[in-house]
């Protein structure tokens, strides 16, 4: 019997090996093996529940934080009489959770902006009414008392008063496309300061504060639009059209910004007396719980001085309460994650060399530094004021890992997340519970509900089905590694080897990287790999006989300000050197063919590909640069100048960081890819770089995608792109 069992198991194991399936490019393009997630979790006021949209997008369901079980359905399109919609895209709860704004017919504008048709749903009487019948809306916001909703249409702010039969009035009237925006950011603010709404209600619901953007002097940028397919635009069936919008390139004029308040009762508008530099930025405004205190956050154009003002919305007087300065630049997380409490402010800062939490009084006096050490706080998650306990996530275990912590007033720290890898958390309003999303390099997302001591109460999602399916795939092994460059700098990386890896063979290797300031690709999480899908594209290429690798060079995140900001003023130079160093290191390994090393990347990763292949060291045989900036003079003010200052101030840096200037030194076969309707990294970058190669007498390949933006997707596009990349490397490596 024992012999029979051994034979049976061996036979089964053998059949299992033979049955391993290969990942296909269709799988990668379609996200066949993407991990399931639970998105759109919105903690409820009571602290005991949270809500989210059902998978069929027909219901809003309330769940218990304690059990994870469904409590009730609070909105259902199928049970509402004469419901005008069959599904919806998102929703916004009113502050008292008695009303819900239902978002439908969403139409994207740029990365974060969109228009939509909203409906107001009254939970008590189950009535559904349009927010407005005068056109689509943007960024609607409930007043704190829940009786009003403000939104933007055609660059103007409108106000709907629910207690006055949903009467609609216009707050601003000077908004005009490509000239003035009220309450919504212009292109560069939206893209680089990561927000899409620029207005707020006061705590007593009596006033609206908003940022006004005058972009009339910002230079216009245009790109052609063709008929195309998926979708086809019949308007351009015979003659192409153009898309025109305001885009400030490095050194050019930005929008003139100002902060205004509108008194809802008296209709009086005032401009805040803000001591802002003529070319300064206002990346955020936020009303505090005191209706007489409007927080206005500003940056100088160099973005190395952050000022927090408290403005009186009626008198317009602004008082500076906090100033934070850096030698190079202030990172976005400082103003994006600031939290206001009745008597205090919690602020992130890198003032001691690492990103940490600081507690200030509402008047701007520093009370104490909450976290300390040679690690980075990733997110501020909440403050239990009664017990004086702060919750946050950080990478103090390793730059590759993120865990959830709490720290009390005496500095006693408790790690709450149980498993090493990447953990993120969403806390309940009362901070009694949190939903933890965890993964590591070999484990797809696991979502649990935990109490604030870290105890797991229930598992909401474990991706067991995906694990089983991946186990049946011809997946590569995944490992982390580190090495020291010739300058003695230690760099972290990951490497994926074919399932049937033979250490006695010589393999070609392909490096994928992004390399941009503060970014991280080498993280202990399931979303590793070029398409954040657990390395499925890498699995496909490994099956073709390649080793795939990635290294985070100098300038990337997770390791403190000195490591990240050492590329300041000379963007692209050290990044390229480190990718060349990576190629040299990998080429020294006995199982890698140093003559067959490739490199590729997207956006900043495409730029680093160009810079690395023309660094002066013939390290790469082939490379693919997708949607790549080729000269920082062609990119926007906020991003380029944050790291480079203006071309006038830093001509040498812009020259050194220009891939176009290096074009004549390009070594290896190159495939240049770009979308013709890229509103972010303009096709101009590829056009000018390719011309430099032509004039240098260097042959290359080029692939354009009609009407595609920076993401290069839609219809069959992404599948075509993946084929193009893989075929290029198969041919040239």
């Amino acid at each position: 019997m024992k012999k029979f069992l051994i034979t049976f198991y061996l036979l089964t194991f053998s059949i299992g090996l033979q049955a391993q399936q290969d990942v296909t490019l269709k799988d990668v393009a379609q996200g066949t093996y993407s991990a399931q997630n639970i998105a759109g979790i919105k903690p409820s006021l009571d602290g005991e529940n949270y809500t989210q949209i059902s998978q069929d997008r027909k219901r809003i369901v309330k769940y218990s934080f304690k059990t994870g079980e469904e409590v009730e359905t609070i909105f259902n399109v199928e049970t509402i009489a004469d419901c005008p919609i069959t599904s919806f895209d998102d929703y916004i709860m009113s502050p008292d959770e008695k009303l819900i704004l239902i978002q439908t017919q969403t139409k994207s504008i740029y990365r974060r902006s969109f228009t939509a048709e909203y409906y107001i749903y009254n939970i008590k009487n189950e009535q559904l009414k349009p927010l407005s019948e005068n056109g689509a809306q943007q960024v609607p916001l409930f007043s704190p008392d829940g009786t009003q909703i403000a939104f933007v249409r055609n660059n103007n702010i409108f106000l709907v008063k629910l207690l006055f039969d949903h009467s609609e009035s216009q707050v601003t009237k000077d908004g005009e496309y490509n000239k003035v925006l009220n309450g919504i950011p212009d292109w560069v603010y939206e893209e680089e300061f990561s927000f899409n709404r620029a207005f707020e209600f006061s705590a007593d619901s009596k006033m609206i504060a908003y940022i006004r953007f005058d972009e009339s002097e910002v230079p216009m940028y245009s790109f052609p639009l063709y008929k195309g397919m998926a979708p086809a635009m019949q308007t351009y069936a015979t003659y192409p059209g153009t898309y025109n919008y305001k885009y400030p390139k490095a050194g050019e004029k930005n929008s003139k910004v100002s902060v205004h308040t509108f008194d809802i009762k008296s209709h009086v508008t005032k401009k805040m007396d803000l001591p802002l530099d003529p070319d300064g930025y206002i990346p955020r405004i936020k009303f505090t719980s005191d209706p007489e205190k409007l927080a206005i956050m500003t940056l100088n154009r160099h973005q190395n001085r952050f000022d927090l003002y408290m403005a009186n919305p009626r008198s317009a007087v602004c008082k500076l309460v906090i100033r934070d300065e850096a030698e190079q630049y202030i990172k976005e997380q400082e103003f994006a994650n600031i939290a206001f409490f009745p008597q205090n402010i919690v602020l992130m800062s890198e003032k001691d060399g690492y990103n940490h939490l600081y507690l200030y009084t509402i008047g701007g006096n520093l009370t104490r530094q909450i976290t300390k050490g040679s690690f980075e706080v990733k997110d501020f998650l909440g403050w239990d004021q009664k017990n004086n306990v702060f919750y946050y996530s950080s990478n103090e275990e390793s730059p590759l890992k993120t865990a959830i912590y709490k720290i009390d007033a005496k500095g006693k720290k408790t790690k709450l997340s149980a498993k090493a890898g990447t953990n993120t958390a969403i806390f309940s309003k009362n901070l009694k519970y949190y939903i933890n999303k965890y993964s590591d390099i070999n484990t797809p997302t696991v979502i649990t509900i935990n109490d604030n001591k870290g105890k797991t109460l229930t598992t909401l999602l474990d991706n067991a089905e995906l694990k089983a399916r991946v186990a049946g795939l011809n997946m590569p092994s995944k490992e982390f590694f580190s090495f020291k460059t010739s300058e003695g700098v230690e760099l972290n990386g990951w490497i994926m080897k074919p399932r049937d890896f033979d250490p006695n063979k010589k393999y070609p290797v392909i490096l994928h990287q992004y390399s941009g300031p503060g970014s991280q690709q080498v993280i202990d999480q399931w979303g590793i790999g070029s398409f954040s899908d657990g390395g499925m594209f890498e699995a496909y290429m490994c099956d073709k006989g390649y080793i795939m690798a990635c290294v985070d060079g100098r300038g990337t995140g997770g390791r403190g300000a000195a490591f990240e900001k050492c590329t300041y003023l000379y963007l692209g130079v050290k990044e390229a050197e480190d990718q060349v160093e990576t190629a040299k290191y990998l080429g020294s390994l006995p199982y890698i063919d140093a003559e067959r090393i490739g490199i590729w990347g997207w956006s900043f990763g495409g730029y680093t590909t160009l810079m690395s292949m023309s660094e002066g060291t013939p390290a790469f045989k082939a490379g693919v640069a997708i949607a790549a900036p080729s000269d920082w003079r062609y990119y926007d003010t906020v991003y380029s100048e944050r790291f480079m200052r203006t071309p006038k101030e830093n001509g040498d840096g812009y020259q050194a960081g220009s891939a176009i200037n290096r074009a004549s030194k390009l070594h290896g076969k190159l495939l240049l890819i770009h979308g013709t309707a890229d509103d972010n990294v303009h096709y101009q970058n590829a056009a000018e770089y390719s011309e430099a190669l032509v004039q240098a007498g260097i042959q290359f390949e080029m692939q354009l995608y009609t009407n595609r933006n920076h993401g290069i997707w839609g219809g069959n596009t992404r599948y075509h792109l993946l084929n193009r990349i893989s075929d290029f490397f198969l041919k040239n490596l």
Side-chain angles (χ1 to χ4, degrees):
M1 184 63 179
K2 194 175 288 185
K3 284 183 180 179
F4 169 77
L5 284 173
I6 291 171
T7 304
F8 174 77
Y9 287 134
L10 285 173
L11 181 62
T12 304
F13 181 68
S14 174
I15 292 171
L17 285 178
Q18 293 172 15
Q20 294 293 323
Q21 295 181 356
D22 295 335
V23 176
T24 69
L25 288 182
K26 279 283 188 188
D27 292 329
V28 182
Q30 296 171 356
T32 302
Y33 297 104
S34 295
Q36 281 188 304
N37 196 3
I38 299 177
I41 294 170
K42 302 185 182 186
S44 301
L45 274 179
D46 61 14
E48 296 297 321
N49 300 290
Y50 62 92
T51 59
Q52 65 181 119
I53 301 176
S54 61
Q55 285 190 336
D56 62 5
R57 313 201 76 80
K58 293 179 181 293
R59 299 187 300 145
I60 298 174
V61 183
K62 181 181 285 188
Y63 294 89
S64 165
F65 260 116
K66 189 175 292 185
T67 65
E69 297 292 327
E70 184 174 325
V71 175
E72 62 176 328
T73 294
I74 59 175
F75 175 76
N76 188 344
V77 297
E78 295 180 340
T79 61
I80 298 171
D82 301 319
C83 187
I85 60 174
T86 56
S87 64
F88 58 101
D89 304 319
D90 203 354
Y91 66 98
I92 301 168
M93 303 291 290
S94 66
D96 60 6
E97 297 184 350
K98 293 179 179 178
L99 302 175
I100 310 175
L101 270 174
I102 305 296
Q103 177 184 321
T104 70
Q105 299 183 50
T106 306
K107 294 180 181 177
S108 176
I109 303 174
Y110 299 120
R111 191 190 296 266
R112 295 172 180 85
S113 54
F114 58 88
T115 63
E117 297 282 354
Y118 288 89
Y119 292 84
I120 307 168
Y121 179 68
N122 187 309
I123 295 177
K124 187 175 181 180
N125 63 25
E126 298 185 358
Q127 287 188 343
L128 188 69
K129 294 182 178 180
L131 171 59
S132 172
E133 295 180 325
N134 299 317
Q137 307 95 45
Q138 283 181 256
V139 294
L141 178 69
F142 279 101
S143 61
D145 65 6
T147 66
Q148 304 168 93
I149 300 171
F151 63 85
V152 172
R153 179 193 292 124
N154 298 329
N155 291 6
N156 280 311
I157 300 171
F158 291 79
L159 183 65
V160 172
K161 295 184 178 180
L162 305 181
L163 298 181
F164 293 86
D165 197 28
H166 291 213
S167 65
E168 181 177 319
S169 59
Q170 192 167 338
V171 174
T172 65
K173 296 180 180 176
D174 60 343
E176 187 177 347
Y177 182 64
N178 279 340
K179 287 189 178 180
V180 173
L181 304 93
N182 292 297
I184 53 172
D186 65 6
W187 186 93
V188 73
Y189 269 71
E190 176 185 332
E191 175 66 24
E192 305 300 357
F193 292 137
S194 308
F195 70 112
N196 65 359
R197 176 170 52 79
F199 70 85
E200 292 275 329
F201 276 100
S202 61
D204 59 7
S205 303
K206 293 179 179 180
M207 304 196 80
I208 295 174
Y210 61 95
I211 307 176
R212 180 182 185 271
F213 298 81
D214 180 350
E215 61 177 4
S216 54
E217 294 183 18
V218 176
M220 189 84 77
Y221 188 82
S222 302
F223 55 80
L225 292 172
Y226 306 94
K227 175 190 173 186
M229 298 172 69
M233 293 188 283
Q234 295 300 329
T235 307
Y236 310 124
T238 306
Y239 289 92
T242 57
Y243 183 79
N244 307 301
Y245 68 119
K246 296 302 186 87
Y247 184 106
K249 292 181 183 283
E252 299 290 342
K253 287 185 177 180
N254 280 313
S255 289
K256 295 175 182 177
V257 288
S258 52
V259 178
H260 303 257
T261 59
F262 174 77
D263 187 307
I264 295 170
K265 186 176 181 180
S266 68
H267 293 190
V268 171
T269 299
K270 286 194 175 182
K271 180 182 177 182
M272 297 298 98
D273 188 16
L274 184 68
L276 180 71
D277 295 345
D279 56 357
Y281 297 107
I282 306 175
R284 291 290 191 283
I285 60 171
K286 179 74 175 175
F287 261 112
T288 67
S289 58
D290 181 348
E292 299 298 308
K293 285 186 170 66
L294 169 65
I296 303 176
M297 290 156 254
T298 72
L299 291 169
N300 60 336
R301 184 148 180 170
H302 284 164
Q303 298 174 65
N304 61 357
R305 187 187 73 236
F306 168 82
D307 285 337
L308 173 63
Y309 292 91
M310 287 297 178
N312 184 302
R314 298 187 183 280
S315 70
V317 173
C318 298
K319 179 185 177 185
L320 178 65
V321 294
I322 296 175
R323 170 168 286 180
D324 194 12
E325 296 181 281
E327 185 179 344
Q328 299 91 358
Y329 52 88
I330 298 289
K331 292 177 68 173
E332 182 187 333
Q333 58 196 11
E334 183 151 338
F335 48 82
N337 291 292
I338 193 169
F340 295 96
F341 298 87
Q343 301 300 324
N344 295 94
I345 302 167
V346 175
L347 183 73
M348 285 184 174
S349 174
E350 291 183 308
K351 65 177 69 180
D352 76 347
Y354 290 86
N355 194 56
H356 283 297
L357 297 175
Y358 293 81
L359 182 67
Y360 289 83
T361 66
I362 199 72
N365 295 317
L366 178 62
T367 302
R368 66 186 174 97
Q369 184 174 345
I370 300 165
T371 58
K372 296 178 183 179
S374 300
F375 61 88
E376 292 185 348
V377 170
K378 294 294 185 182
D379 199 6
F380 170 57
L381 300 172
W383 178 24
D384 176 355
Q385 294 182 74
K386 182 180 178 182
N387 297 302
N388 206 6
V389 173
F390 295 85
Y391 295 87
Y392 65 95
S393 62
S394 78
N395 67 356
E396 51 199 277
E397 291 178 299
S398 158
L400 278 61
K401 303 176 189 295
T402 303
I404 312 302
Y405 295 87
K406 66 179 179 181
I407 187 169
D408 65 18
K410 296 180 180 179
K412 181 186 176 184
K413 189 185 303 178
T414 305
K415 181 184 169 187
L416 301 179
S417 48
K419 296 180 180 178
T422 297
N423 295 271
T424 59
I426 300 172
F427 272 79
S428 61
K429 294 284 188 182
N430 57 12
L431 302 176
K432 282 175 61 179
Y433 314 97
Y434 71 95
I435 293 175
N436 191 84
K437 294 186 181 182
Y438 162 81
S439 74
D440 65 24
I441 192 171
N442 292 310
T443 308
T445 305
V446 176
I447 302 178
T448 58
I449 299 180
N450 308 268
D451 65 22
N452 60 12
K453 295 179 181 177
K455 179 184 177 183
T456 299
L457 303 177
T458 188
T459 299
L460 299 177
L461 177 69
D462 61 9
N463 272 296
E465 182 184 347
L466 177 61
K467 287 182 194 175
R469 293 171 67 201
V470 169
L473 295 175
N474 193 18
M475 289 294 288
S477 63
K478 304 175 186 177
E479 307 164 29
F480 291 112
F481 70 94
S482 62
F483 73 98
K484 283 192 175 180
T485 68
S486 59
E487 295 182 34
V489 180
E490 186 167 322
L491 302 178
N492 297 318
W494 54 252
I495 190 167
M496 298 190 200
K497 302 171 184 175
R499 189 179 180 91
D500 58 356
F501 172 72
D502 181 351
N504 297 311
K505 285 177 63 177
K506 289 273 190 179
Y507 292 87
V509 64
I510 301 173
L511 293 179
H512 175 264
Q513 44 66 51
Y514 181 75
S515 303
S519 66
Q520 277 187 273
Q521 307 303 116
V522 184
I523 307 176
D524 190 8
Q525 65 178 10
W526 178 253
I528 207 165
S530 51
F531 290 96
S532 301
D533 56 2
M536 293 301 164
F537 180 70
E538 285 72 17
Y540 174 82
M541 295 304 292
C542 282
D543 189 53
K544 301 296 181 185
Y546 294 85
I547 284 177
M548 310 298 285
C550 174
V551 165
D552 281 341
R554 285 171 292 179
T556 57
R559 298 176 61 177
F563 185 85
E564 180 174 331
K565 296 178 180 179
C566 71
T567 61
Y568 187 60
L569 298 182
Y570 285 88
L571 211 57
V573 177
K574 287 185 172 69
E575 296 92 327
E577 290 173 359
D578 286 351
Q579 294 306 312
V580 169
E581 290 272 0
T582 300
K584 288 179 179 178
Y585 166 73
L586 291 173
S588 72
L589 300 177
Y591 50 83
I592 287 178
D593 184 348
E595 300 300 315
R596 290 192 294 159
I597 297 179
I599 184 171
W600 76 286
W602 201 307
S603 196
F604 200 105
Y607 163 71
T608 306
T609 295
L610 299 178
M611 293 290 285
S612 302
M613 293 179 71
S614 52
E615 184 264 355
T617 307
F620 301 103
K621 189 180 181 187
V624 179
I626 305 173
S630 59
D631 191 305
W632 293 111
R633 293 177 182 86
Y634 299 148
Y635 201 55
D636 72 60
T637 49
V638 175
Y639 189 92
S640 296
E641 295 173 17
R642 181 184 296 158
F643 310 114
M644 297 282 279
R645 299 202 171 182
T646 66
K648 187 176 180 180
E649 294 172 292
N650 182 28
D652 290 346
Y654 277 83
Q655 286 289 101
S658 171
I660 293 174
N661 286 351
R662 291 187 173 192
S664 61
K665 296 196 293 183
L666 181 76
H667 179 272
K669 301 289 186 180
L670 173 67
L671 171 58
L672 201 59
I673 298 176
H674 221 104
T676 64
D678 192 332
D679 65 280
N680 187 349
V681 179
H682 301 144
Y683 169 64
Q684 173 188 24
N685 288 271
E688 298 291 357
Y689 183 79
S690 63
E691 172 67 0
L693 292 179
V694 169
Q695 298 309 320
I698 297 173
Q699 294 295 327
F700 62 100
E701 294 183 36
M702 196 165 183
Q703 175 71 56
L704 299 182
Y705 286 100
T706 303
N707 292 348
R708 301 305 166 190
N709 63 16
H710 199 55
I712 310 182
W713 63 277
N716 194 51
T717 306
R718 182 56 63 86
Y719 178 55
H720 188 280
L721 172 70
L722 292 172
N723 268 301
R724 193 76 171 90
I725 299 167
S726 57
D727 286 351
F728 178 81
F729 280 126
L730 286 167
K731 181 175 75 174
N732 292 292
L733 285 185

